[in-house]
Amino acid sequence: MTATSFNPIQLQQNAITSTNQPLALKQGQVFHGTIKQLYPDQMAEIQVGNQKFIAKLEVPLKAGDAHFFQVTGTNPQTELKIVTGPMAQAATPSQQINQLLESMNLPKSAEMQQLLGHFMKAQLPISKEQMLQAEMWLKALPEGISKVDALQTIQKMIELKMPMTNDVFQALMSGQKTSGMTTIMDNFAQLLAKDTALSESLRQNLMQQIQAIAKPFEVETGSVVLARVLQSLTNSAATMSEKMQALSILKESGILPQQATLQNWSNMNEAKAFQPMQQAGQVIQTILATRPENASQLVEQLKSWTGSQNLLTNEQKQQINQLVDRFNQLPVTKQTLEVFAKQMQDQLLKAFTQNTADRLFTQDAHALSVKDHLLSLFRQEANSPSQNEAFMRNLVKNSIDSSQPFIQQVVTQADALVQNSMDSKAMEHALKTVLKNLGISYEATLGNKSADLHMIAHQLKPQLHTLLQETNITPQMKEAAEMLMTRMNGMQLSSGENGHQHQLIMQVPLEFFGKKMDATLQWNGRMKDNGKIDANYARVLFYLQMASMQETVIDMQVQNRVVTVTVFNENSEIQSLAEPLKAALKIGLAEKNYQLSGVFIKQFDKGQTEKISPVVEQQEEQSGVDIRV
């Protein structure tokens, strides 16, 4: 099996022939139907697939005959013209198609015959203009694209009433692929690195986004580096050389101002009143801005913030509360508030640097991470999480380029620590990071009033829009950008809904510590009457192209919160790798109130295509190893 493309789980059923959806006809469309009953005034009951409707015929006909009809009017009633004479019941589909081609003066090419055969079998109306356009696409398919896939794409465009444009066709075809996204990204990045015609700001913004997508854990590596260099600055046992190297790398990365010294780098010189107490730095600013007569209110605020802060351990919370209690016993003056602020800052700085490694992929109730709190403790400027991420990426880049032995050691240790921290949270974080930076659905996000417009503007897709508007863009760069844009548009077009059924397609280029892979996620589920996703039923397919395991498809089906997982891979040795993971999977699902029914390890059926049956159907058994829990 070669999973170069897939058919959507949803929308495989012909929407036109569905018994619960009326047949919608447009003027000029041609379809194959049978006259079931005749009525006065040349009215007749016509059957198309499983559906019947009443229409007026141009000339009297005989019940039971099959014809190709063309719609000549829809208002106030459907009017049909006979395109071909009565079809003999013994006539083959090929003979019927040839009769239609002659009647409509259409080219008798192999592509046109294949096209009409497909739509005749699907019982789907199609106009002459759509036939001619579709024939052109079938004749010009690039290498590696099958006509079967192209026909499915054309069918979807007509079913969903999409514009019959080349952009939509190419986007849908691209969106159905399960590999190649990484290659497209790499090609675009290489051209971008060499381009000298683009404005430097646009080029740098694009390069930063590609870097963020290629290295989804770089921010976490930067967080560890930040914690380690801050520990050296606050550690009395650290050497003067280490302290100077730490100070230098923070200044070089723009985290500390150039005038910062070993004596003043952490000083909070400015008290800011009316700050929302979210970031640790705002806690310190609130203390400094508090009037002595409001000290009791401050104590309550501090204990409330500390108690709800999940990035601190219980022991650290206890230590902070003890510090607050000691302050509460003192006579409150401006001087005692300043001393208390400094003590609290040192305590929080110590706690968050200690917790960085254990809480790399954790956020608090305000969606802040450890790095956000750390940076807020010695930066007077209030930065958004996205700006802090940029600081971390810059810190990693400068640390890697640094010739200082202590900094080299720190970044090597940080990278190793992040690799050893890989778990389900890390993978979830990687997927979210890549999808956020791709900006696939940024158009929809723009309608959200609470959206961070600054962050949206720096996503890859809106920047590609900007790039394609440039007048001095080279043909090679334009082609590479359009290929990337087409792939992202294809994901949106391949996703959709049909009544309560919803489908989502996501293609994610992933790179983990030098290992690149293409991952495609295909989710199919249904919506409840209240508009929320029904978590009791779903079908999730993962198409993975990995360096070691090669092509892998994971099929997860959820029926009434009972989960069945099937892994398709040609390597028979993965059975031994899967066995130890079974218990962890069962426990993890149970924590979310799901029951694991079984894990099936199977090889691809040689005759099987990548088309997966609809979610409502039962999966066919194939030869392989079953692991039942």
Side-chain angles (χ1 to χ4, degrees), residues 163-404:
M164 290 290 286
T165 65
N166 190 57
D167 286 345
V168 173
F169 175 72
Q170 294 297 339
L172 272 175
M173 288 296 297
S174 181
Q176 292 180 171
K177 294 180 181 178
T178 59
S179 62
M181 184 72 166
T182 300
T183 304
I184 292 172
M185 288 282 294
D186 285 347
N187 179 51
F188 178 74
Q190 290 171 12
L191 289 171
L192 192 64
K194 300 174 185 175
D195 197 290
T196 55
L198 293 175
S199 68
E200 188 60 22
S201 60
L202 176 59
R203 182 174 166 276
Q204 285 298 324
N205 286 337
L206 282 164
M207 290 292 290
Q208 287 174 8
Q209 284 308 110
I210 291 172
Q211 182 78 352
I213 293 165
K215 296 185 177 181
F217 300 122
E218 188 175 44
V219 169
E220 283 63 45
T221 302
S223 299
V224 178
V225 172
L226 176 67
R228 292 291 167 87
V229 295
L230 288 177
Q231 283 175 335
S232 70
L233 284 174
T234 56
N235 184 4
S236 58
T239 66
M240 182 59 67
S241 174
E242 290 174 349
K243 288 178 181 288
M244 290 304 298
Q245 290 178 47
L247 183 68
S248 176
I249 199 71
L250 291 174
K251 290 164 68 172
E252 185 181 342
S253 304
I255 295 173
L256 289 178
Q258 291 301 311
Q259 63 270 27
T261 66
L262 291 177
Q263 289 73 37
N264 69 9
W265 68 270
S266 65
N267 286 351
M268 297 294 296
N269 299 321
E270 187 177 348
K272 296 183 180 179
F274 310 112
Q275 285 286 308
M277 197 180 286
Q278 295 178 359
Q279 297 181 3
Q282 292 167 339
V283 172
I284 309 304
Q285 291 171 351
T286 301
I287 295 172
L288 291 171
T290 298
R291 294 180 178 179
E293 59 267 26
N294 297 330
S296 58
Q297 183 182 350
L298 172 66
V299 168
E300 290 180 9
Q301 285 181 288
L302 292 174
K303 290 201 171 184
S304 174
W305 180 86
T306 304
S308 63
Q309 183 47 256
N310 64 305
L311 296 176
L312 296 172
T313 66
N314 289 333
E315 183 182 354
Q316 289 167 343
K317 290 179 181 181
Q318 186 177 357
Q319 292 171 349
I320 292 171
N321 283 330
Q322 288 174 353
L323 180 62
V324 173
D325 289 338
R326 287 200 299 270
F327 162 74
N328 199 27
Q329 294 170 2
L330 297 172
V332 181
T333 64
K334 184 179 179 182
Q335 185 178 5
T336 55
L337 282 167
E338 290 176 353
V339 172
F340 176 49
K342 180 60 178 173
Q343 291 173 335
M344 180 66 80
Q345 182 183 10
D346 292 343
Q347 190 78 37
L348 291 175
L349 193 63
K350 178 182 177 183
F352 284 119
T353 54
Q354 287 176 343
N355 294 353
T356 299
D358 294 333
R359 287 167 169 76
L360 271 181
F361 304 102
T362 306
Q363 292 183 330
D364 65 14
H366 301 290
L368 298 170
S369 65
V370 171
K371 72 174 183 308
D372 297 319
H373 288 290
L374 282 176
L375 287 170
S376 72
L377 283 168
F378 54 86
R379 285 186 59 82
Q380 293 184 19
E381 303 86 355
N383 297 317
S384 67
S386 59
Q387 289 173 311
N388 288 343
E389 288 181 7
F391 278 126
M392 294 303 97
R393 295 187 188 282
N394 199 28
L395 178 60
V396 172
K397 179 183 180 298
N398 291 332
S399 298
I400 292 172
D401 294 341
S402 175
S403 60
Q404 300 296 328

Side-chain angles (χ1 to χ4, degrees), residues 119 131 148 258 325 345 407 441 482 519 522 533 551 568:
F119 280 87
M131 293 183 218
V148 173
Q258 291 301 311
D325 289 338
Q345 182 183 10
I407 301 301
S441 302
E482 285 176 341
Q522 183 179 356
I533 291 173
E551 182 184 1
F568 294 95

Side-chain angles (χ1 to χ4, degrees), residues 508-526:
V508 188
L510 295 176
E511 182 175 342
F512 299 136
F513 312 110
K515 299 282 187 180
K516 294 183 179 182
M517 62 180 287
D518 281 314
T520 299
L521 167 65
Q522 183 179 356
W523 173 86
N524 178 264
R526 63 193 194 189

